Amino acid sequence: DGGITQSPKYLFRKEGQNVTLSCEQNLNHDAMYWYRQDPGQGLRLIYYSQIVNDFQKGDIAEGYSVSREKKESFPLTVTSAQKNPTAFYLCATGRGPGQGRGYTFGSGTRLTVV
Amino acid sequence: AQKVTQAQTEISVVEKEDVTLDCVYETRDTTYYLFWYKQPPSGELVFLIRRNSFDEQNEISGRYSWNFQKSTSSFNFTITASQVVDSAVYFCALREGGSGNTGKLIFGQGTTLQVKP
């Protein structure tokens, strides 16, 4: 079955460490997105990529980095520069701009700083 | 700039009551898409409906119905005869369409619905 795989489901990070969240898709979708969810704030866009080897900052990109070397993969690195990284992170895919399509979401990674 | 507002942070109802979740949006685009998603405790977002800006027909799917009104920039969601399984966080979202759009979904803050037995 086609879908999105996010791993790990739970992740604990020590202060000052970088961590990478994985997002893999087999939907053959062009676009991929990373959202952060905090209680009472909805989902906020971190980064997105509409094509391989290209990506753009979203609304809250500071302290995060991404890469898009393959169509299927869009890993998110939470760097030590992100001061408050504890949150729920959701990866999504879409068919790309101009097509008015919705998204398919992964099951999320819950990151906690310890 | 585009914006989605879900003014109701939390709603609590008793099973079998009807409940309406409000969504108000802002956009300068004439072509756009509106969505509703359900987020159960597991965390994954479940797609419920997509509506484009040129289709103002209301939609009904089982116990769910949606009322899209461009005149008031609203896209409200009603659950009829609510059930405990409807308890979740519900998100309204906006995506601008047409040429040059970035494909981003803009989410409201979400409404937590609790249905008590």
Side-chain angles (χ1 to χ4, degrees):
Chain A
D1 288 341
I4 300 174
T5 301
Q6 285 190 247
S7 61
K9 190 173 180 67
Y10 298 95
L11 186 57
F12 297 90
R13 191 195 92 170
K14 293 182 179 179
E15 294 276 357
Q17 277 187 340
N18 291 355
V19 291
T20 297
L21 283 59
S22 171
C23 179
E24 303 281 331
Q25 58 115 344
N26 59 6
L27 298 165
N28 200 34
H29 285 173
D30 293 317
M32 297 188 74
Y33 308 81
W34 275 105
Y35 284 88
R36 169 178 171 145
Q37 183 178 11
D38 296 280
Q41 295 195 43
L43 279 71
R44 294 181 290 169
L45 183 64
I46 305 172
Y47 268 99
Y48 62 102
S49 167
Q50 296 170 335
I51 195 170
V52 175
N53 292 322
D54 188 40
F55 49 83
Q56 288 79 38
K57 294 182 179 180
D59 301 317
I60 55 166
E62 185 176 353
Y64 299 97
S65 66
V66 294
S67 64
R68 185 85 187 275
E69 298 177 359
K70 299 185 301 181
K71 188 175 187 177
E72 299 78 17
S73 178
F74 191 42
L76 173 73
T77 297
V78 184
T79 74
S80 57
Q82 171 49 238
K83 298 306 179 187
N84 184 23
T86 295
F88 186 58
Y89 292 86
L90 280 164
C91 177
T93 68
R95 286 189 175 87
Q99 296 179 13
R101 297 290 182 179
Y103 294 62
T104 301
F105 284 85
S107 56
T109 293
R110 192 167 299 278
L111 173 63
T112 304
V113 174
V114 295
Chain B
Q2 62 271 44
K3 183 180 179 181
V4 176
T5 302
Q6 295 178 254
Q8 304 150 307
T9 304
E10 294 183 15
I11 300 176
S12 182
V13 299
V14 176
E15 202 168 24
K16 297 185 182 178
E17 285 185 14
D18 298 347
V19 58
T20 295
L21 283 61
D22 297 332
C23 174
V24 175
Y25 62 92
E26 296 175 28
T27 179
R28 297 178 183 175
D29 229 358
T30 55
T31 303
Y32 53 89
Y33 301 84
L34 295 164
F35 302 81
W36 275 96
Y37 286 89
K38 175 182 180 180
Q39 186 180 43
S42 61
E44 186 170 350
L45 265 67
V46 178
F47 169 81
L48 296 177
I49 190 171
R50 180 183 71 244
R51 174 67 72 226
N52 72 54
S53 53
F54 298 108
D55 183 2
E56 285 194 74
Q57 285 188 342
N58 292 332
E59 177 142 347
I60 298 175
S61 176
R63 295 184 298 106
Y64 296 169
S65 63
W66 292 268
N67 184 355
F68 176 32
Q69 291 193 342
K70 290 178 72 172
S71 61
T72 56
S73 296
S74 65
F75 186 44
N76 296 338
F77 172 33
T78 297
I79 301 175
T80 302
S82 60
Q83 300 176 1
V84 173
V85 293
D86 295 327
S87 298
V89 181
Y90 291 86
F91 289 99
C92 180
L94 165 72
R95 173 177 172 161
E96 291 180 344
S99 61
N101 87 87
T102 58
K104 296 187 295 183
L105 264 185
I106 305 300
F107 284 87
Q109 301 91 322
T111 297
T112 300
L113 174 64
Q114 183 181 31
V115 181
K116 299 178 182 178

